[in-house]
Amino acid sequence: MLRTKIKEILKNGQAEIGSSLCVKGWVRTKRGNKNVSFIHLNDGSTIHNLQIVVDHAILSEETLKEATTGACIGVKGKLVASQGSEQAVELMAESIEIIGPADPEKYPLQPKKHSLEFLREIAHLRPRTSTISAVLRIRHAMAFAIHQFFHQKGFIYLHTPIITGSDAEGAGAMFRVTTLDLANVPKNPDGSVDYSQDFFGRSTNLTVSGQLEGETGALALGEIYTFGPTFRAENSNTARHLAEFWMVEPEMAFYELEDNMNLAEEFLQYLIRYALENCSDDLEFLAKRESEEEKQKPAHERHELSLLERLKFCTENKFQRLTYTEAIEILENSKPAKQGKFKFPVKWGIDLQSEHERYLVEKEFKKPVILTHYPKEIKAFYMKLNEDEKTVRAMDVLFPGIGEIIGGSQREDSYDKLLARIRELKLPEAELWWYLELRKFGSAPHSGFGLGFERLIQFVTGMSNIRDVIPFPRTPKNAEF
């Protein structure tokens, strides 16, 4: 008999009653008495469990002894209307196969609430929990929706390199890639490392962004996007940082800043609507979980909006657009600034902190915000300089609860201005020769942005720590799994 997924059984519900079915999955809980046992089975296809009813007159307790929490079992039986109120249907077992037993004394996921910190210590098993399985199903749905959105708009999916010789952000903190013997590193006469003997014949690193290479595609194919892993060797042990994470980076020829903002707004609203329409069961579970957690927090740390309200906040409001300079004026004149309640002071030229971004979104405008025209000193070298030569055509999209979710800009398309900026910042001109040449041969206005995929998943799921939205988080001193 072919296996039927639990999601399909629960979806079809009453229509399947009377059917003989085969299900396979992992035991969440088992309870009962001397006459009957109830097994809650989950196969990962849905947040919901299927209740298996075992009549001891048909299947002995001996048969059931290995069907403990954590065990993998297969069950054949007949679907019936449930006698209980917690589920509409249940499966009356006719046979049970123990596919993979689990030692009940040693299995770490007992049927009780576990902390997320504990679950990170058993990352190989945590996808079996309701919370993490819900997050991972939503993560899958968002990845699919990203590809669907760009495909429908005619974008080309470009695979940019993971190993690179350039630092797109110009900020360092990159992981080096080498085959050199670290116990016997070859040196030049001046004592520096002789990378000519390395695999690539030069110094190489794991990429921090696919943007620079993405621009080569945009200036040939028109509209492209990248979606892949990126790496930053920042020694940051916070709830917002990972050393390995995924980035979505579209680049578009003939797009100016306004076009870029329009695309970013359309993109984010599409993704959130997709989640609301296709992940309702998982979102409802996570919303309830967050609501229970919020009750344990001090009042000033609680979200003003529930998870589902925050999602609809972003789909039902047109994004407010204003310049960085206008935002600074608003912040300087705000009550928190005048009363000294901002942790970080506000003045023109600063890189806005999350508390400033959230004030603009949640208090001032009560809608998502797109900030533009940032000071050039706090933005990357490749952003197009404005005529005032003080600001660049940057844009950041700010969301409730998390602050910045997208960062982007119109790219500098003038060879002379880009070269001057590279020299001003003392960046390695020789390594960026090909990037400069894009401005020599058929240059065109072009723009793009970056969306941190894990930041998106955090927002959609309401998870407070970024380590809980990726299967195997990579952080300082942590690469066990």
Side-chain angles (χ1 to χ4, degrees):
M1 187 184 296
L2 291 175
R3 168 195 170 215
T4 304
K5 288 187 178 182
I6 291 173
K7 180 180 180 179
E8 294 304 313
I9 294 172
L10 299 181
K11 178 182 175 182
N12 296 331
Q14 299 294 322
E16 293 282 356
I17 288 177
S19 301
S20 293
L21 300 171
C22 171
V23 294
K24 295 179 182 180
W26 294 269
V27 176
R28 286 284 176 87
T29 62
K30 183 177 77 171
R31 59 183 175 82
N33 52 46
K34 64 179 182 180
N35 298 317
V36 64
S37 291
F38 300 94
I39 295 172
H40 278 182
L41 194 70
N42 190 279
D43 64 2
S45 63
T46 172
I47 192 75
H48 302 295
N49 303 318
L50 177 65
Q51 179 161 284
I52 310 296
V53 182
V54 184
D55 186 337
H56 293 178
I58 299 174
L59 293 172
S60 68
E61 188 67 38
E62 183 69 20
T63 304
L64 281 171
K65 68 179 182 179
E66 288 188 301
T68 57
T69 298
C72 181
I73 66 172
V75 183
K76 292 179 180 178
K78 185 168 289 187
L79 196 70
V80 299
S82 178
Q83 301 302 307
S85 59
E86 294 183 8
Q87 58 280 318
V89 295
E90 55 195 17
L91 192 68
M92 294 294 298
E94 296 170 354
S95 67
I96 293 180
E97 174 192 5
I98 306 299
I99 298 170
D103 186 335
E105 300 298 319
K106 295 180 180 179
Y107 185 61
L109 287 174
Q110 294 301 315
K112 64 178 184 179
K113 186 172 182 178
H114 296 286
S115 72
L116 294 173
E117 289 80 8
F118 169 72
L119 293 180
R120 287 177 214 133
E121 297 173 7
I122 53 168
H124 59 307
L125 294 174
R126 70 176 184 164
R128 298 190 192 181
T129 66
S130 296
T131 298
I132 301 302
S133 67
V135 169
L136 294 178
R137 279 188 294 270
I138 291 172
R139 185 182 172 103
H140 158 77
M142 291 294 88
F144 175 81
I146 285 165
H147 286 296
Q148 182 168 268
F149 174 84
F150 286 120
H151 178 73
Q152 289 174 350
K153 293 188 78 68
F155 279 58
I156 302 296
Y157 179 29
L158 191 72
H159 295 144
T160 53
I162 290 174
I163 300 172
T164 178
S166 62
D167 179 356
E169 300 298 321
M174 301 179 77
F175 288 100
R176 193 173 300 284
V177 175
T178 183
T179 57
L180 294 177
D181 180 359
L182 298 184
N184 187 26
V185 178
K187 299 289 183 70
N188 293 312
D190 64 0
S192 61
V193 176
D194 182 6
Y195 286 109
S196 68
Q197 297 188 44
D198 207 348
F199 185 88
F200 293 106
R202 57 171 297 169
S203 173
T204 52
N205 309 283
L206 294 178
T207 185
V208 300
S209 168
Q211 179 205 315
L212 302 191
E213 294 88 351
E215 286 185 49
T216 70
L219 292 173
L221 301 169
E223 297 165 329
I224 66 94
Y225 71 104
T226 76
F227 186 4
T230 52
F231 309 84
R232 292 194 188 168
E234 285 184 77
N235 192 18
S236 291
N237 246 320
T238 77
R240 294 165 58 90
H241 288 88
L242 290 169
E244 176 185 271
F245 53 99
W246 287 64
M247 287 288 290
V248 183
E249 298 174 290
E251 290 290 329
M252 298 77 63
F254 316 116
Y255 271 51
E256 300 201 14
L257 185 60
E258 187 73 20
D259 307 306
N260 206 23
M261 290 191 284
N262 292 341
L263 181 72
E265 181 171 345
E266 181 187 357
F267 179 50
L268 288 169
Q269 290 189 329
Y270 178 93
L271 295 180
I272 296 168
R273 286 194 189 102
Y274 188 93
L276 288 167
E277 292 168 6
N278 295 276
C279 307
S280 56
D281 286 353
D282 287 323
L283 285 175
E284 285 170 14
F285 170 83
L286 292 171
K288 183 179 178 182
R289 176 191 172 278
E290 183 189 80
S291 177
E292 291 170 354
E293 284 202 341
E294 290 283 286
K295 294 173 186 176
Q296 312 301 318
K297 295 179 181 178
H300 70 278
E301 292 183 10
R302 295 174 190 166
H303 288 290
E304 291 189 12
L305 302 174
S306 71
L307 174 59
L308 295 178
E309 286 172 339
R310 294 197 302 276
L311 297 180
K312 291 174 183 176
F313 177 95
C314 296
T315 59
E316 295 174 359
N317 287 301
K318 182 150 183 69
F319 295 9
Q320 179 71 38
R321 302 179 184 192
L322 69 158
T323 67
Y324 168 92
T325 300
E326 290 168 334
I328 290 294
E329 290 174 1
I330 290 169
L331 291 168
E332 286 177 331
N333 292 313
S334 68
K335 281 186 179 179
K338 290 180 177 179
Q339 295 172 0
K341 291 186 177 179
F342 281 139
K343 183 178 177 182
F344 297 93
V346 178
K347 65 176 182 178
W348 201 93
I350 66 160
D351 201 352
L352 294 181
Q353 301 296 316
S354 181
E355 62 176 344
H356 306 138
E357 296 168 339
R358 290 184 59 183
Y359 176 84
L360 293 168
V361 172
E362 298 166 29
K363 303 293 185 183
E364 180 68 23
F365 294 107
K366 298 188 181 342
K367 60 178 68 173
V369 169
I370 305 180
L371 289 188
T372 63
H373 302 292
Y374 282 76
K376 68 176 184 178
E377 286 78 13
I378 60 173
K379 288 297 182 181
F381 75 95
Y382 48 73
M383 297 188 179
K384 187 170 183 64
L385 197 63
N386 284 315
E387 291 180 4
D388 62 11
E389 297 193 349
K390 292 181 180 179
T391 60
V392 290
R393 294 185 195 176
M395 56 154 243
D396 285 350
V397 182
L398 314 180
F399 264 18
I402 62 170
E404 181 194 336
I405 192 166
I406 272 180
S409 72
Q410 185 172 343
R411 314 311 192 189
E412 182 57 74
D413 53 88
S414 163
Y415 176 87
D416 292 335
K417 289 181 180 179
L418 183 61
L419 180 59
R421 188 79 174 118
I422 288 171
R423 289 175 175 172
E424 178 186 347
L425 295 173
K426 297 182 172 57
L427 297 177
E429 187 179 327
E431 292 180 8
L432 293 166
W433 68 270
W434 57 272
Y435 188 68
L436 281 160
E437 276 205 353
L438 290 176
R439 279 76 180 165
K440 268 188 178 180
F441 308 127
S443 185
H446 61 289
S447 301
F449 60 78
L451 168 69
F453 187 53
E454 283 71 30
R455 184 70 65 86
L456 170 72
I457 305 305
Q458 263 194 284
F459 180 74
V460 173
T461 61
M463 300 299 287
S464 58
N465 196 312
I466 201 167
R467 302 174 194 203
D468 299 319
V469 299
I470 191 168
F472 299 102
R474 294 289 178 256
T475 54
K477 305 293 189 291
N478 178 31
E480 183 171 357
F481 297 95

